[in-house]
Structures are given as structure tokens and as C-alpha cells.
Amino acid sequence: MATDEGMQPHGAVTRAIHWGTALLVLSAWVVGSTMEEFPRGGGRELAMQVHYSLGVLVLGFAALRVAWRAVSPPPRPNGPTWQRLAARGMHLALILLTVGLPLTGLFDRWARGRAVTVFGGIPLPAPFPMPGGRLWGEAHEVLADLLLAAIAAHVLAALWHQFVLKDRMLTRMMPLRQR
């Protein structure tokens, strides 16, 4: 069994980025999963704009996370090599997916010549002619499924650490962690 000896808690900024990203991803997924159910018109357009705005925020939080990790690297994890490699791989996958998913959503709209408006009316024009058409939409849907699977694996791993290994790893990332 692993121990929590030497286990350092994550700082407040890291935890805020983590839970902020989780909340944004969950919100974007809920809106994205239901927006097609709205009848065509103002309600659907609003839901789509909320989804796009949340996606842009997810992208921003992913960039913030990468920048923050560059200036404040995470504590070195304990445990066997396979666990450390799995954790590194999972975190890399989560970062890549939180970058790739919003980008493919934007690329889908732009490649099909559709407007992207966020935050109540700010247009996001295509930076250049975007080839690919609906291919980007398919990629967006596949990446959404992969992100959900990665999140499920991430949550299961955190629970495994907390309740099977009893190494208190989960408590390092809790929002209101007692020091």
C-alpha cells in the first residue's frame, strides 16, 4: 500500500483551475448534449451560443493550466513507475482533449461557413479559410466521447487511490482541503 508520507497538497491556483475546468467541461457537455433538442429558433441559438462560450472558456482554462504547470510544476507523485506513467499519460490526455475538443468545435463551425458568437454577441471569425467541412464536427463528437471516457478513468483512479490504496491522493485536490 502506498503512503501519503511526503505527499504534497496542490496549491489553491491548481485546485481552482482543476475544478473550474471540471465545472466548465460538465456544463459544456450538458448544454451540447441537449441543445439539438431545442426547437429551431431563439432558444436553440441561445443554447448554442452558451455552448460555444463554455467551449472557449474550457480552451482558456486549458491554456491557463499549461501556463501554470510551466511556472508551478506539480509535486512529484509517489508510487510504482507504472502508476506515475499512467498518471502522466492521463493528465496529458486530459490537457490535449480540453484543447482539442473546443478547437474542433470552432473548426467545425468555420469549415461549414457558420458564425461563432460567444459571450452575448462577440463574433469569432475564422482566422483563415478552414477546409474539412463536417469532418471537424465528427472529430468534435469523437473527442467529446474520449474526454468523457478519460474523465471517468480519472475519477475512478482518484477513488481507487482514496479508498483502496488509502494514500489520500484525492484529498490533495479537494477544493476546501484542510491544511
Side-chain angles (χ1 to χ4, degrees):
M1 181 181 339
T3 72
D4 66 345
E5 195 174 304
M7 182 81 62
Q8 300 172 16
H10 289 286
V13 172
T14 300
R15 288 178 295 168
I17 293 169
H18 177 272
W19 291 108
T21 302
L23 181 61
L24 289 168
V25 165
L26 176 64
S27 300
W29 179 79
V30 167
V31 174
S33 301
T34 60
M35 67 188 186
E36 296 297 322
E37 304 302 319
F38 285 84
R40 293 197 184 277
R44 180 184 270 192
E45 292 301 318
L46 178 60
M48 292 172 75
Q49 189 174 126
V50 168
H51 181 69
Y52 305 151
S53 299
L54 290 167
V56 167
L57 288 172
V58 168
L59 186 58
F61 266 65
L64 181 61
R65 179 177 177 145
V66 170
W68 182 247
R69 283 183 74 125
V71 298
S72 181
R76 182 165 170 78
N78 296 330
T81 302
W82 73 267
Q83 283 183 11
R84 290 195 315 270
L85 290 174
R88 251 188 226 126
M90 178 55 70
H91 288 116
L92 179 60
L94 287 167
I95 288 169
L96 291 174
L97 287 165
T98 55
V99 170
L101 186 58
L103 285 178
T104 56
L106 288 169
F107 293 171
D108 174 54
R109 299 294 294 177
W110 292 333
R112 295 192 290 147
R114 299 208 174 131
V116 178
T117 307
V118 295
F119 308 117
I122 301 169
L124 291 182
F128 48 84
M130 187 68 59
R134 183 67 187 135
L135 178 66
W136 291 112
E138 297 299 323
H140 186 67
E141 291 175 16
V142 168
L143 291 182
D145 291 341
L146 288 174
L147 181 57
L148 285 177
I151 290 169
H154 182 65
V155 168
L156 288 173
L159 293 172
W160 180 66
H161 272 277
Q162 188 70 21
F163 298 111
V164 175
L165 295 181
K166 298 182 189 298
D167 63 6
R168 297 181 18 188
M169 179 141 333
L170 182 62
T171 61
R172 295 172 60 203
M173 192 53 79
M174 295 311 291
L176 301 173
R177 183 182 190 284
Q178 298 291 332
R179 296 233 171 193

